[in-house]
Amino acid sequence: LEGFGQEDSKVAIETWRKHLLRHDSIVVDHCQGMHRSHLTCPICGRESIKFDVFSTISLPISTEKNNMDIRLENCIEKFMEGEQLDEMNAWYCPSCKKHVCALKMIALWSVP
């Protein structure tokens, strides 16, 4: 469900409601969350915002300079950093009508 021009909270609630129609269980209640994916076209600025349900996320390992400690908070921050998509992962911009190397941002919306 893409939230073009709608409030994030409304789109998130609708995405979760649709998910629960098929996947309502104690496992969902305690082990699944949602993240907000935000893509921006570098050519025209068109944005795509979607909410996706997750049960696991792959966090990149992030260590601070001169410190061998790996902090969960740092790994989550690195996961949510923006990234420029490469040509192998290009997004189709409906305004430009072509695949572009969009800027992608992910944010944890709700967590179990």
Side-chain angles (χ1 to χ4, degrees), residues 46-92:
R46 170 83 183 242
E47 296 178 323
S48 171
I49 297 172
K50 292 185 179 181
F51 290 85
D52 296 300
V53 175
F54 69 86
S55 55
T56 63
I57 55 175
S58 298
L59 295 177
I61 301 298
S62 177
T63 58
E64 294 183 26
K65 295 178 184 174
N66 302 324
N67 189 351
M68 294 305 295
D69 291 338
I70 298 173
R71 299 183 47 87
L72 178 60
E73 295 87 1
N74 295 346
C75 296
I76 292 171
E77 285 176 14
K78 189 155 185 69
F79 173 76
M80 294 191 300
E81 284 179 359
E83 69 174 307
Q84 192 81 37
L85 298 180
D86 60 23
E87 289 183 12
M88 296 296 294
N89 296 301
W91 169 65
Y92 183 80

Side-chain angles (χ1 to χ4, degrees), residues 8-77:
D8 284 353
S9 59
K10 290 181 181 180
V11 177
I13 289 168
E14 182 62 14
T15 299
W16 189 251
R17 187 190 68 75
K18 285 185 176 184
H19 179 70
L20 289 180
L21 290 174
R22 301 186 90 193
H23 306 283
D24 193 8
S25 73
I26 193 168
V27 173
V28 170
D29 294 343
H30 296 282
C31 300
Q32 292 188 341
M34 274 196 311
H35 64 74
R36 178 184 184 267
S37 176
H38 184 174
L39 296 168
T40 305
C41 177
I43 299 168
C44 72
R46 170 83 183 242
E47 296 178 323
S48 171
I49 297 172
K50 292 185 179 181
F51 290 85
D52 296 300
V53 175
F54 69 86
S55 55
T56 63
I57 55 175
S58 298
L59 295 177
I61 301 298
S62 177
T63 58
E64 294 183 26
K65 295 178 184 174
N66 302 324
N67 189 351
M68 294 305 295
D69 291 338
I70 298 173
R71 299 183 47 87
L72 178 60
E73 295 87 1
N74 295 346
C75 296
I76 292 171
E77 285 176 14

